């Protein structure tokens, strides 16, 4: 774990000796130590079934911690947003109304909610699709709507559980670029679960690798790449070195 001494920013997520056991007795996570500083971008990788998604659900409060300590702290008046693998859009609502929904659920008047939904839609380059319905969109566009919906509440912490896994490689890389640019501009804290080594290295400042179940942290790797990352960086030797460092931990 990268400790508070190594990362001067205050913690948004701090876990110590975290253990989670499912009702059937299966141990999903065991002895997780994790520190995520404010404004950082952390990728979480590991074999299927190692507890990556469970870790996000614990952080979000969707699951209760079995043992150990977990604290999640936000800036005042801020919260968290969760983006799942499936966009989960309401098919009877337009793109604009889907993005406005979280604000409406918080009691924001519909006209104001729709006005505020325009900014995150512009952030994901969907200003020209506000009146369309989900079944008129490609998979990549639906996922961009889902991200805009998560951003509309201006969360301090954004959790993403393999949001681009079902997309083709070219679309996925384009969305990676957009997501990193959004993070850089909005300064939110992001925890991103993925199976893709290159995606993790491209997006994140740190790559956390979990072991097979029960999941334990076997690598906490600071990604040694420039902050500004164009798509062309994937072809550079420095990028390949970072991918290799993460791959070695996964292989072992």
């Amino acid at each position: 774990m990268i400790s508070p001494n190594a990362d001067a920013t205050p913690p948004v997520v701090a876990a110590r000796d975290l253990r989670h056991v499912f009702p059937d007795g299966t141990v999903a996570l065991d002895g997780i130590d994790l520190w995520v500083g404010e404004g950082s971008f952390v990728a979480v990788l590991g074999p299927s079934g190692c507890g990556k998604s469970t870790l996000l659900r614990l952080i979000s409060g969707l699951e209760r911690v079995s043992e150990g300590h977990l604290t999640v702290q936000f800036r005042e008046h801020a919260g968290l947003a969760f983006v799942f693998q499936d966009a989960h859009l309401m098919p009877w609502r337009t793109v604009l109304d889907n993005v406005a929904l979280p604000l409406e659920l918080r009691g924001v008047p519909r006209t104001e909610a729709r006005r505020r939904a325009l900014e995150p839609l512009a952030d994901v380059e969907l200003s020209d699709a506000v009146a369309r319905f989900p079944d008129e969109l490609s998979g990549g566009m639906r996922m961009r709507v889902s991200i805009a919906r998560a951003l509309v509440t201006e969360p301090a912490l954004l959790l993403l559980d393999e949001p681009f896994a079902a997309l083709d490689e070219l679309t996925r890389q384009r969305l990676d670029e957009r997501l990193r640019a959004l993070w850089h501009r909005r300064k939110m804290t992001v925890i991103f679960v993925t199976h893709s080594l290159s995606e993790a290295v491209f997006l994140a400042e740190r790559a956390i690798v979990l072991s097979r179940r029960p999941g334990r942290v076997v690598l906490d790797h600071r990604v040694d790449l420039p902050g500004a990352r164009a798509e062309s960086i994937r072809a550079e030797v420095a990028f390949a070195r970072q991918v290799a460092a993460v791959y070695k931990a996964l292989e072992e």
Side-chain angles (χ1 to χ4, degrees):
M1 179 183 72
I2 295 180
S3 69
N5 293 330
D7 189 342
T9 59
V12 172
V13 176
R16 174 67 70 179
D17 202 22
L18 185 65
R19 190 170 190 265
H20 189 68
V21 183
F22 289 126
D24 65 0
T26 300
V27 181
L29 298 166
D30 191 18
I32 296 289
D33 290 340
L34 180 65
W35 173 281
V36 179
E38 184 177 1
S40 59
F41 197 128
V42 175
V44 180
L45 305 100
S48 295
C50 72
K52 301 184 298 296
S53 296
T54 300
L55 180 60
L56 286 194
R57 292 177 67 83
L58 291 171
I59 292 170
S60 70
L62 293 175
E63 296 273 359
R64 286 183 163 223
V65 174
S66 300
E67 299 176 30
H69 302 280
L70 174 65
T71 58
V72 183
Q73 301 182 30
F74 309 119
R75 296 188 304 270
E76 189 176 2
H77 306 307
L80 69 80
F82 204 136
V83 178
F84 298 90
Q85 290 185 36
D86 192 308
H88 294 297
L89 303 179
M90 303 296 182
W92 58 88
R93 293 178 72 107
T94 64
V95 165
L96 182 61
D97 288 334
N98 264 286
V99 175
L101 181 60
L103 296 177
E104 292 180 40
L105 294 175
R106 291 185 176 192
V108 176
R110 186 166 184 263
T111 301
E112 173 66 10
R114 297 176 97 233
R115 184 191 67 78
R116 288 168 58 180
L118 292 172
E119 182 180 348
L121 280 167
D123 282 339
V124 297
E125 300 179 13
L126 283 178
S127 295
D128 59 348
V130 294
R132 296 168 72 178
F133 288 88
D135 64 0
E136 300 175 296
L137 307 177
S138 67
M141 292 175 76
R142 286 195 293 272
M143 190 51 65
R144 283 153 62 190
V145 175
S146 181
I147 292 172
R149 184 178 59 190
L151 295 175
V152 76
T153 58
E154 300 183 1
L157 175 61
L158 180 62
L159 307 176
L160 301 104
D161 190 4
E162 297 192 73
F164 309 146
L167 304 177
D168 65 86
E169 190 64 24
L170 185 58
T171 300
R172 185 172 184 157
Q173 290 182 9
R174 287 173 177 165
L175 290 180
D176 285 345
E177 278 195 277
R178 287 194 178 101
L179 178 58
R180 185 163 173 90
L182 280 169
W183 165 73
H184 206 266
R185 185 163 65 251
R186 286 184 172 241
K187 307 300 183 187
M188 58 196 164
T189 306
V190 178
I191 303 177
F192 188 100
V193 163
T194 179
H195 274 106
S196 170
L197 300 177
S198 62
E199 183 170 63
V201 169
F202 179 82
L203 284 171
E205 296 179 300
R206 285 167 57 206
I208 308 293
V209 177
L210 300 185
S211 68
R212 294 190 181 278
R213 191 169 63 200
R216 299 179 176 89
V217 176
V218 295
L219 179 71
D220 190 339
H221 177 73
R222 191 174 293 279
V223 177
D224 186 16
L225 291 173
R229 298 176 196 172
E231 185 58 35
S232 58
I233 199 172
R234 294 179 189 259
E236 296 182 7
V237 173
F239 186 87
R241 287 197 188 105
Q242 296 301 306
V243 171
V246 178
Y247 176 78
K248 182 179 180 182
L250 276 172
E251 189 178 40
E252 292 176 351

